[in-house]
Amino acid sequence: MVERTSKFLLIVAVSVCFMLILYQYVGPGLSLGSPSGRSYLEELDLFPTPDPHYVKKYYFPVRELERELAFDMKGEDVIVFLHIQKTGGTTFGRHLVQNVRLEVPCDCRPGQKKCTCYRPNRRETWLFSRFSTGWSCGLHADWTELTNCVPGVLDRRESAAAKTPR
C-alpha cells in the first residue's frame, strides 16, 4: 500500500512540475490579461519613444538601400564576401557555396572546408570568400585588407590557371 501511495505522489509531483514549466513557457504567449491592465502587445514595446540622446552615426537613404545591382556570373564580376566574426558570417558563407542553386554548382568535397566555385563557361572563380578561396588575404581580413589584397590574389589565380594545361 505504501509503495502504491509513493508512486501516486511521484506522479502528482511530476505532473505539477510539468504544468509549472508549461505555464512558464506557454503562458506569456496567451492573452490571459495582465495585472497592469494594458494588453500584452503594449507591454512588449520596450522603447515607445525614440531616445533623445541617440545620435545617428550613419545615414542610409532609402534609394541606396533599395537599389538593385546586376551580377553577371558569366562575365567578369566577382562577389567578395567580407566575413565578420559573430554575425552569422560562417553560416551565410557556407550557404553561398553549398545551397545556392546555380547553373554550375560549387564543387564541395567531403572533408574539405573549401569548395571550388567556377563560372559556367570557364575555370575562373566568381566568389571570393573563405569557403571558396580560403584565407587568401589573412585571417579575418577587414575591408581595407580585402580591397588591397583581392585584385592581386585573383590575378595570381588567373595566371596560374592559364599556365596549367587543360
Side-chain angles (χ1 to χ4, degrees):
M1 189 69 161
V2 175
E3 184 177 310
R4 194 172 194 174
T5 307
S6 62
K7 282 184 181 180
F8 177 74
L9 288 176
L10 180 67
I11 290 173
V12 169
V14 169
S15 299
V16 168
C17 288
F18 177 75
M19 294 302 284
L20 286 173
I21 292 171
L22 185 68
Y23 178 75
Q24 181 181 4
Y25 284 103
V26 177
L30 301 174
S31 59
L32 301 173
S34 90
S36 65
R38 296 185 307 184
S39 73
Y40 179 70
L41 293 175
E42 289 175 3
E43 289 180 1
L44 280 181
D45 191 12
L46 298 177
F47 304 105
T49 58
D51 184 7
H53 303 290
Y54 177 73
V55 178
K56 278 189 171 181
K57 191 173 182 180
Y58 302 106
Y59 295 95
F60 297 106
V62 174
R63 65 177 169 75
E64 189 69 26
L65 294 172
E66 293 178 349
R67 74 180 169 155
E68 292 184 19
L69 297 173
F71 177 72
D72 184 17
M73 184 181 288
K74 294 180 180 178
E76 298 295 320
D77 295 345
V78 175
I79 293 178
V80 178
F81 177 68
L82 174 62
H83 174 81
I84 301 173
Q85 297 179 54
K86 306 295 181 196
T87 60
T90 301
T91 304
F92 183 72
R94 192 178 309 116
H95 170 71
L96 276 176
V97 297
Q98 291 178 353
N99 302 329
V100 177
R101 292 185 191 145
L102 301 167
E103 190 176 326
V104 177
C106 295
D107 181 25
C108 299
R109 301 192 183 212
Q112 289 186 334
K113 290 188 178 182
K114 281 188 350 181
C115 302
T116 53
C117 299
Y118 290 129
R119 297 181 190 277
N121 51 357
R122 58 188 184 274
R123 293 180 60 88
E124 291 177 5
T125 186
W126 59 270
L127 176 67
F128 189 92
S129 76
R130 131 185 198 202
F131 287 103
S132 63
T133 59
W135 297 106
S136 303
C137 294
L139 188 64
H140 296 296
D142 63 359
W143 175 256
T144 309
E145 291 171 325
L146 283 175
T147 54
N148 293 332
C149 170
V150 169
V153 171
L154 289 177
D155 288 341
R156 274 186 269 138
R157 286 181 174 269
E158 288 175 11
S159 64
K163 289 180 186 175
T164 58
R166 295 182 184 188

